[in-house]
C-alpha cells in the first residue's frame, strides 16, 4: 500500500474545467529580504481546476498561494485574479480577498467564539450582512460540511477534523470563487484526514476552483486535474496526475516521488 492507494469516492463526471481564466500569474518574483523565494512563476489557473502543489519543504509552496490573496506581497511580475490585478491598491486587495478563500494547516478558528460566530463574524463585519441572514448562510455551510449540530460549541470542544471542516465552512460563508488550501490535513490524525478530503471533494464536484498544497498524493492522483511540482522557488514540472506520477520528467521530481511514495 502506498500513499497513492487510498480510495476516495469521486463522481468524475462532475469535475469540469472551463476555458475561463481564474488566476493568471506572469513572470512573478518574490524576495524575503535578499532571499529570492519565488522565481519567474508563470501559472494560469482555469475555472474548475483542482491543482495540487507538491514539493519539498521550503520550496515556496505556501508563499506562492499566499501571494494569490496577498497575504504576501510579490515584488515583480503580475498576479491577476478574476481580472483584478493585485497591486498595492487596497481596493483591489479587498476585491481579490473577497473572491479567494483560504484554509490553513492550523485551522485558525477564534477559540473564544462559537462555531456559528466564527462563521458569521466576517460576513457581518466585513460584508455588512444582516445577522440573521449571516446565521442562515453559516448553518447552510455547516450542514454542507456535516456538522450543523456543533454550531453552538466552541472550537476546543471539536476534533481536529471537525475544526478543519468549520474552517472550510467559514471560508465558504464569504462565497469565494477560488479556494486555497495550505496543507489542510497535515495537522490531523489519520482517521480525520478522510473526512476533510471528502469535504474538499464535494467542493470540487460543485465546480470550485482549488489550489491545494498537500502531501495527500491519493487526493492528487484522484481529484487533481494538474499536479505542480515546485523546488527552490520554481515550478520545475507540471502535468496531469497520471503522467506526473508514472512518468516524471525531471530528476528533482523523480527524487521527490521516490522519497514520498
Ligand atoms: P513551503 O511551503 O514549500 O515549505 P514556504 O513558502 O513556507 O515553503 O517557504 C519558502 C522559503 O521561504 C523557506 O526557505 C522559508 O524559510 C522562507 N520564508 C517563508 N516565509 C518567510 C518570511 N516571512 N520571512 C523570511 N523567509 C521566509
Ligand atoms: Mg508550506
Amino acid at each position: 500500500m502506498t500513499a497513492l492507494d487510498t480510495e476516495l469516492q469521486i463522481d468524475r463526471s462532475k469535475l469540469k474545467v472551463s476555458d475561463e481564466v481564474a488566476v493568471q500569474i506572469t513572470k512573478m518574483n518574490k524576495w524575503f529580504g535578499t532571499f529570492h523565494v519565488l522565481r519567474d512563476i508563470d501559472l494560469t489557473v482555469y475555472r474548475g481546476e483542482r491543482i495540487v502543489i507538491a514539493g519539498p519543504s521550503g520550496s515556496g509552496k505556501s508563499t506562492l498561494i499566499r501571494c494569490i490573496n496577498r497575504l504576501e506581497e510579490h515584488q515583480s511580475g503580475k498576479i491577476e485574479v478574476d481580472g483584478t490585478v493585485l497591486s498595492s491598491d487596497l481596493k483591489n486587495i479587498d476585491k481579490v480577498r473577497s473572491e479567494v478563500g483560504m484554509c490553513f494547516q492550523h485551522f485558525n478558528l477564534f477559540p473564544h467564539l462559537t462555531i456559528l460566530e466564527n462563521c458569521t463574524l466576517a460576513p457581518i463585519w466585513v460584508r455588512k450582512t444582516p445577522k440573521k441572514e449571516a446565521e442562515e448562510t453559516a448553518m447552510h455551510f455547516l450542514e454542507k460540511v456535516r456538522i450543523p449540530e456543533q454550531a453552538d460549541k466552541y472550537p476546543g470542544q471539536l476534533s481536529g477534523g471537525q475544526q478543519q471542516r468549520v474552517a472550510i465552512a467559514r471560508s465558504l460563508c464569504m462565497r469565494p470563487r477560488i479556494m486555497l488550501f495550505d496543507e489542510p490535513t497535515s495537522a490531523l490524525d489519520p482517521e480525520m484526514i478522510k473526512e476533510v478530503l471528502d469535504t474538499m471533494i464535494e467542493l470540487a464536484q460543485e465546480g470550485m476552483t482549488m489550489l491545494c498544497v498537500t502531501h495527500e498524493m491519493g487526493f492528487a492522483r484522484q481529484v487533481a486535474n494538474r499536479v505542480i511540482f515546485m523546488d527552490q522557488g520554481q515550478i520545475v514540472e507540471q502535468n496531469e496526475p497520471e503522467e506526473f506520477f508514472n512518468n516524471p520528467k525531471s530528476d528533482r521530481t523523480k527524487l521527490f516521488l521516490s522519497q514520498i511514495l
Side-chain angles (χ1 to χ4, degrees):
M1 175 117 172
T2 74
L4 285 175
D5 289 339
T6 331
E7 275 308 321
L8 301 164
Q9 291 292 316
I10 302 154
D11 180 351
R12 297 191 170 281
S13 68
K14 290 187 176 163
L15 301 175
K16 291 199 185 85
V17 177
S18 90
D19 55 8
E20 194 185 326
V21 173
V23 179
Q24 178 119 52
I25 300 177
T26 327
K27 287 258 168 288
M28 190 265 278
N29 285 271
K30 170 164 185 61
W31 287 261
F32 284 120
T34 55
F35 176 53
H36 197 173
V37 59
L38 294 175
R39 298 160 180 263
D40 285 332
I41 302 287
D42 283 312
L43 175 64
T44 304
V45 181
Y46 294 91
R47 208 165 283 297
E49 276 205 280
R50 296 132 270 121
I51 296 180
V52 161
I53 303 172
S57 176
S59 55
K61 307 179 297 294
S62 295
T63 307
L64 173 60
I65 62 169
R66 289 165 64 86
C67 282
I68 295 176
N69 68 349
R70 195 69 174 195
L71 288 176
E72 298 288 354
E73 191 180 334
H74 60 288
Q75 276 82 44
S76 76
K78 188 168 163 188
I79 302 179
E80 212 170 325
V81 181
D82 276 338
T84 303
V85 176
L86 268 174
S87 59
S88 49
D89 187 337
L90 290 178
K91 254 197 232 127
N92 284 0
I93 295 174
D94 280 350
K95 177 149 192 300
V96 164
R97 291 217 180 123
S98 76
E99 296 188 17
V100 181
M102 179 139 186
C103 234
F104 303 89
Q105 178 175 357
H106 301 287
F107 334 116
N108 298 3
L109 298 174
F110 296 108
H112 59 292
L113 297 181
T114 66
I115 299 310
L116 188 68
E117 288 165 346
N118 264 280
C119 292
T120 57
L121 189 72
I124 290 173
W125 294 100
V126 179
R127 287 283 170 81
K128 314 292 179 205
T129 308
K131 185 165 179 235
K132 186 160 180 299
E133 189 186 326
E135 288 180 347
E136 282 166 10
T137 303
M139 286 312 297
H140 169 79
F141 286 113
L142 287 172
E143 269 157 36
K144 190 170 264 311
V145 302
R146 302 180 205 282
I147 35 175
E149 73 284 357
Q150 308 292 338
D152 296 323
K153 293 195 184 158
Y154 288 86
Q157 297 172 284
L158 273 56
S159 73
Q162 289 174 323
Q163 289 188 56
Q164 191 59 292
R165 286 184 285 153
V166 172
I168 294 173
R170 178 176 63 173
S171 291
L172 296 177
C173 286
M174 297 294 274
R175 309 275 185 182
R177 300 188 76 191
I178 300 163
M179 280 291 294
L180 310 175
F181 292 91
D182 195 353
E183 300 198 26
T185 59
S186 293
L188 299 178
D189 292 334
E191 70 271 20
M192 291 169 195
I193 291 178
K194 190 170 174 296
E195 66 187 48
V196 170
L197 295 181
D198 284 342
T199 301
M200 293 167 69
I201 288 167
E202 275 186 43
L203 271 185
Q205 289 177 168
E206 287 168 12
M208 182 66 82
T209 307
M210 303 174 30
L211 284 100
C212 314
V213 176
T214 180
H215 302 299
E216 290 298 323
M217 291 299 129
F219 179 86
R221 180 173 65 85
Q222 297 169 66
V223 183
N225 65 301
R226 177 152 56 130
V227 182
I228 288 179
F229 176 70
M230 287 186 72
D231 194 17
Q232 298 182 5
Q234 288 177 307
I235 295 179
V236 173
E237 178 165 349
Q238 51 180 315
N239 220 326
E240 56 190 55
E242 181 83 7
E243 274 296 293
F244 180 83
F245 289 112
N246 295 340
N247 192 15
K249 303 280 182 293
S250 87
D251 289 341
R252 283 193 274 179
T253 313
K254 285 177 195 164
L255 177 66
F256 175 77
L257 289 175
S258 74
Q259 285 164 344
I260 60 159
L261 296 181

